[in-house]
Amino acid sequence: MAKTLVFLEHHGGELQKGSLAVLAKAAQLGGDVAGVVIGSDVRALAEGAGKFGAATVYVADDAMLESPLPQPRVDVIAKLVRDEAFDNVLFAQSVLAADIAGALAARLDAGLNWDLVDLSADGDGLVGKRPALADSVYVDVGWTSTPRLALFRSGTFDPSETGGSADVRDAAVELEDFSTRAELVSHDQEESEGPSIEDAEVIVAGGRGLGEPEKFALVEELAKALGGAVGATRAVVDAGWYPYSTQVGQTGKTVSPKLYIAVGISGAIQHKVGMQGSNVIVAINKDPHAPIFEFSDLGVVGDLHEIVPKLTELVQQRKAS
Ligand SMILES: Cc1cc2nc3c(=O)[nH]c(=O)nc-3n(C[C@H](O)[C@H](O)[C@H](O)COP(=O)(O)OP(=O)(O)OC[C@H]3O[C@@H](n4cnc5c(N)ncnc54)[C@H](O)[C@@H]3O)c2cc1C
């Protein structure tokens, strides 16, 4: 039976939704599924992972692991994989996870497939799916040896609770000298109001059609009225109109809210791949031939400067009544 280890990333005292979603997917595929939580004072987090399908959660709890630096985490995971003979090690995409997965591949001389959007069992092995050729096709990818390392695109799977409980065990913390030389000098948190685009059930996204950065206020007001988050296209992010953290698409985030409202967005393929999994897509665009209408559930042809304020007002009125 294949043994799978999932890296459970945490920030601010919470396990990340993306890691739990990868854990739930691994549990669905079956076999012996474990998670690993690494940090300082993190034991309490481990138990919660049982609900997402981990039979065992290893905890590496040490003051030396307090900063979210990759190399000490590579030491812990590499030892665990060798000692417990894990066949698969899975990660949800993040800056930290990408650093760890890359270094772990080098340390274990293992194959790493990244940017995966699906995973299935193939006998004793695994087959991953990843977009290629600017996301215009999907290709199946495999591994020629174990351990198999995989990084999944954010927003790929749903974190669904199964209600189980995990056996929590200690993982050895034996750090290499070279792994402890880096020091985290500062850690700044971007302040934002409302839900993040990864968690939001409603996203109102703005594009170049807004005309100028100040007009993002229209998008923000509609998002606020709907209790949602603001997204953006790369064109406006590159132009400095809105923060990079809100970019949806191939080189931004993959999102799958219940409702995605695209305001002044043309619907380029690189944007589409980041939001096509949304339940309902509404597009507001003055060009009736804009590609976004080809994959929208509801299309509104017109000037966003007239439509969006009226829509916001309507939502506010409905909410108030
Ligand atoms: C390698 C690569 C990676 C990329 N990654 C991403 C990515 O992750 N995310 C992403 O978004 N893009 C990405 N892009 C860029 C992508 O190709 C498009 O250039 C970008 O998505 C276009 O952004 P936009 O829709 O805001 O602008 P435009 O394409 O300029 O569209 C603006 C739209 O607004 C409409 N409009 C104008 N005025 C009004 C008005 N008054 N009322 C209503 N509608 C109006 C226009 O009709 C038009 O359809 C990538 C490109 C490459 C090459």
Side-chain angles (χ1 to χ4, degrees):
M1 194 163 59
K3 290 185 74 174
T4 300
L5 182 67
V6 179
F7 172 64
L8 299 175
E9 190 167 343
H10 58 89
H11 292 289
E14 272 182 41
L15 293 176
Q16 297 297 286
K17 197 173 141 191
S19 307
L20 294 172
V22 170
L23 177 62
K25 176 69 185 180
Q28 250 178 37
L29 292 180
D32 194 350
V33 178
V36 58
V37 179
I38 304 173
S40 173
D41 213 3
V42 289
R43 188 164 298 273
L45 291 179
E47 277 152 26
K51 289 199 285 260
F52 294 86
T56 310
V57 178
Y58 293 91
V59 182
D61 200 333
D62 193 299
M64 296 280 285
L65 298 166
E66 177 153 14
S67 300
L69 291 168
Q71 283 301 333
R73 283 158 176 75
V74 174
D75 293 343
V76 171
I77 301 174
K79 179 162 174 50
L80 200 53
V81 170
R82 288 192 186 112
D83 290 354
E84 301 294 328
F86 280 104
D87 302 294
N88 313 310
V89 189
L90 312 183
F91 299 84
Q93 170 63 38
S94 75
V95 173
L96 177 63
D99 275 354
I100 298 172
L104 190 67
R107 188 80 70 86
L108 297 175
D109 196 17
L112 166 65
N113 275 308
W114 72 101
D115 204 22
L116 299 186
V117 293
D118 205 0
L119 188 69
S120 50
D122 179 25
D124 287 339
L126 291 175
V127 178
K129 198 176 274 302
R130 78 185 292 269
L133 299 176
D135 284 0
S136 56
V137 293
Y138 290 107
V139 294
D140 286 344
V141 291
W143 292 257
T144 53
S145 60
T146 56
R148 308 174 189 93
L149 271 46
L151 253 175
F152 293 88
R153 253 190 203 193
S154 58
T156 295
F157 305 122
D158 268 336
S160 37
E161 292 190 22
T162 50
S165 66
D167 176 18
V168 177
R169 294 187 201 164
D170 285 320
V173 180
E174 293 172 16
L175 307 184
E176 305 282 352
D177 281 348
F178 58 79
S179 298
T180 52
R181 290 206 190 137
E183 189 188 332
L184 189 73
V185 178
S186 73
H187 187 174
D188 298 315
Q189 193 94 15
E190 193 174 88
E191 296 298 333
S192 63
E193 273 182 31
S196 70
I197 61 168
E198 291 98 329
D199 296 329
E201 295 201 335
V202 176
I203 294 176
V204 184
R208 197 147 43 188
L210 287 166
E212 53 183 352
E214 291 70 28
K215 289 290 179 336
F216 251 95
L218 296 175
V219 171
E220 286 169 348
E221 277 157 26
L222 180 56
K224 193 171 171 199
L226 291 164
V230 175
T233 63
R234 175 158 163 183
V236 295
V237 167
D238 280 351
W241 292 10
Y242 226 64
Y244 173 72
S245 58
T246 60
Q247 184 189 319
V248 173
Q250 183 190 331
T251 40
K253 290 178 178 155
T254 304
V255 295
S256 44
K258 287 189 178 151
L259 173 63
Y260 190 92
I261 305 183
V263 179
I265 292 177
S266 59
I269 175 79
Q270 296 89 355
H271 186 76
K272 179 184 173 190
V273 295
M275 44 67 85
Q276 63 191 348
S278 308
N279 247 9
V280 175
I281 298 173
V282 177
I284 303 170
N285 197 304
K286 69 176 183 186
D287 175 6
H289 304 294
I292 190 108
F293 290 132
E294 290 164 21
F295 51 93
S296 296
D297 299 285
L298 177 69
V300 184
V301 180
D303 186 350
L304 67 90
H305 300 100
E306 288 171 22
I307 296 164
V308 177
K310 283 186 189 150
L311 184 57
T312 305
E313 208 181 306
L314 271 175
V315 174
Q316 285 165 343
Q317 278 171 7
R318 280 282 172 90
K319 289 227 162 154
S321 64

